[in-house]
Amino acid sequence: MSDAKEVGKPKRSPKDVIRRFSEEVVNKGNFDALPHLVHENVRFDTSATGMKPGVAGVMEIFSALHKGFSNSACTIEELIAEGELVAERFTFTGIHSGEFHGVRPTGKQVSMSGMAMFRVVDGKIAERWGLEDQLGLLRQLEERG
């Protein structure tokens, strides 16, 4: 029998799951929402290297962003879905106020673009493949006179 809380609750579309993930986890840093939005053994491929597998890796990525950048936000520029696949084009912005990838805080306003493809199964993210312009981001953090 299904959980009483789920009865009558409308099923979230894959696009809704990605929007909620972006708002709760990426923008707000609400890691308590992760179990509701991603599968325990989520495959989260990104241009970042050396991350832990599963939910712990997802938390590691976004913890680093929140520690490194204040006033950070991820804006979904486009979101296209077909079946369980969702394609996202996004822009990340923030102020470099904490250490990030070994770079001390610069106070600079930064912007990074990226694209991701998600697979959403049973209302949760099962896989993500993404490319972010991390080289462009790090170039913005370079010391310039």
Side-chain angles (χ1 to χ4, degrees):
M1 182 160 203
S2 67
D3 184 27
K5 289 188 251 180
E6 295 297 315
V7 174
K9 185 177 179 182
K11 184 179 175 190
R12 291 182 300 201
S13 74
K15 285 170 81 170
D16 290 340
V17 172
I18 302 311
R19 283 187 193 102
R20 185 164 175 231
F21 177 82
S22 181
E23 182 60 30
E24 291 297 323
V25 177
V26 182
N27 289 341
K28 294 180 182 175
N30 177 8
F31 301 123
D32 291 337
L34 281 172
H36 306 287
L37 297 170
V38 300
H39 284 277
E40 182 178 331
N41 295 315
V42 63
R43 180 177 173 205
F44 210 87
D45 287 346
T46 178
S47 56
T49 58
M51 63 176 266
K52 297 174 187 168
V55 174
V58 176
M59 190 179 309
E60 185 176 28
I61 290 168
F62 295 105
S63 289
L65 280 175
H66 282 276
K67 288 177 185 171
F69 300 94
S70 59
N71 297 331
S72 62
C74 185
T75 302
I76 296 173
E77 306 293 348
E78 291 183 79
L79 205 58
I80 301 168
E82 183 161 334
E84 61 186 21
L85 296 177
V86 181
E88 174 192 37
R89 184 174 63 86
F90 63 88
T91 303
F92 171 84
T93 58
I95 298 171
H96 185 220
S97 57
E99 187 172 315
F100 184 74
H101 287 298
V103 179
R104 293 190 334 241
T106 62
K108 294 180 179 180
Q109 175 74 39
V110 298
S111 178
M112 174 178 68
S113 61
M115 299 181 87
M117 177 73 72
F118 296 87
R119 188 167 70 88
V120 178
V121 177
D122 298 327
K124 294 184 179 183
I125 299 168
E127 296 180 86
R128 180 206 187 258
W129 306 270
L131 292 171
E132 304 83 21
D133 185 14
Q134 289 199 14
L135 179 57
L137 175 65
L138 291 172
R139 284 184 173 156
Q140 293 174 64
L141 304 180
E142 290 178 346
E143 296 295 331
R144 300 212 178 184

